[in-house]
Amino acid sequence: GRRRRATRSSRGPRSGRDPGRRRQRAGRGQERADRLAGLVVALRQGAGRWRGLEAVCLTDSPLIVVGSPDTARRLYGRDVSALVDEPLLGDAPLWQRWFALAGVRARVNPVASFNDAGLMLQAAEQNIGLALAREILVADALRDGRLQRLSSVSMQEEESYSYWLAFPPSVQDWPPLRALQRWLFDELALSQRELQGATETKPADRS
């Protein structure tokens, strides 16, 4: 996987809103908490840049739209624009970009936001709304039929939403850490293979 060493940068934020700024502030607090707890390795979501840490990218799989089986049956065969009228879960800017990619002009207002992807997917399973989530993270739910994919449109989001394994440089050759990395990549590869065989139920994807 990709490895990144944290460095200080003089570059300012990119044009427009900086989606990682609030995550970076939260990340600094998490770094302090990690040190106090004596943690050696952490699984983090972000841009892969944390002061004093090495970071190995675990997955940057695309974002897809999923919903409960009941929702999938109700929406089957309908235009992708029908998703605009459904209760949406998660981040409004992400949804806005996804609809633009799907060729749908829409203003979105999610009914709930989450700082835990697992909780968001549980809400989608309970028919509370639609989720826009990493494909690899929903592999088990798709395989088990707890969630179904609602559109063939997938969005490759910027790396600020990737998942990383972060650790101090001093332990990068530590055998338990190497074993953990191998296990994580093996599990992700297994999920990806299962994902390829998952049944897809989606609207007609006509804009």
Side-chain angles (χ1 to χ4, degrees):
R2 299 201 305 275
R3 174 169 291 181
R4 177 162 292 167
R5 179 69 179 274
T7 58
R8 293 183 180 274
S9 173
S10 60
R11 292 182 300 172
R14 288 172 288 186
S15 59
R17 295 180 61 186
D18 181 0
R21 182 169 295 175
R22 281 179 291 182
R23 281 191 178 82
Q24 290 167 1
R25 286 200 293 267
R28 287 196 290 270
Q30 184 62 52
E31 289 171 19
R32 289 192 293 271
D34 288 352
R35 288 197 297 271
L36 288 173
L39 297 179
V40 174
V41 62
L43 179 63
R44 290 184 175 174
Q45 185 180 19
R49 291 184 289 270
W50 294 282
R51 185 171 53 190
L53 296 177
E54 295 277 357
V56 174
C57 185
L58 296 175
T59 179
D60 55 357
S61 69
L63 293 159
I64 63 172
V65 177
V66 294
S68 70
D70 286 345
T71 300
R73 283 190 291 270
R74 181 167 50 79
L75 292 175
Y76 183 77
R78 296 185 61 187
D79 192 286
V80 69
S81 61
L83 303 185
V84 175
D85 298 323
E86 296 294 313
L88 306 177
L89 307 174
D91 187 71
L94 273 183
W95 275 109
Q96 203 75 52
R97 291 197 289 276
W98 184 87
F99 277 114
L101 183 64
V104 178
R105 296 184 63 180
R107 293 180 65 85
V108 300
N109 186 24
V111 298
S113 60
F114 299 81
N115 57 14
D116 185 310
L119 292 177
M120 181 177 67
L121 294 176
Q122 287 179 26
E125 288 180 24
Q126 295 167 11
N127 209 27
I128 294 173
L130 311 186
L132 183 59
R134 289 278 179 194
E135 188 178 42
I136 195 71
L137 295 183
V138 297
D140 289 346
L142 291 174
R143 180 198 61 201
D144 298 340
R146 291 179 282 119
L147 290 172
Q148 292 192 15
R149 186 170 176 174
L150 302 179
S151 170
S152 61
V153 177
S154 62
M155 182 171 69
Q156 192 69 48
E157 183 51 37
E158 57 198 43
E159 65 179 356
S160 61
Y161 288 87
S162 297
Y163 287 86
W164 302 76
L165 193 66
F167 48 86
S170 59
V171 301
Q172 63 181 351
D173 295 322
W174 189 37
L177 177 59
R178 290 292 185 90
L180 175 61
Q181 289 185 53
R182 287 194 299 270
W183 179 81
L184 286 170
F185 281 118
D186 287 346
E187 289 297 306
L188 287 167
L190 176 61
S191 293
Q192 188 64 51
R193 289 194 297 271
E194 292 176 342
L195 186 62
Q196 291 171 356
T199 301
E200 184 178 295
T201 303
K202 59 181 184 299
D205 288 325
R206 291 176 287 107
S207 56

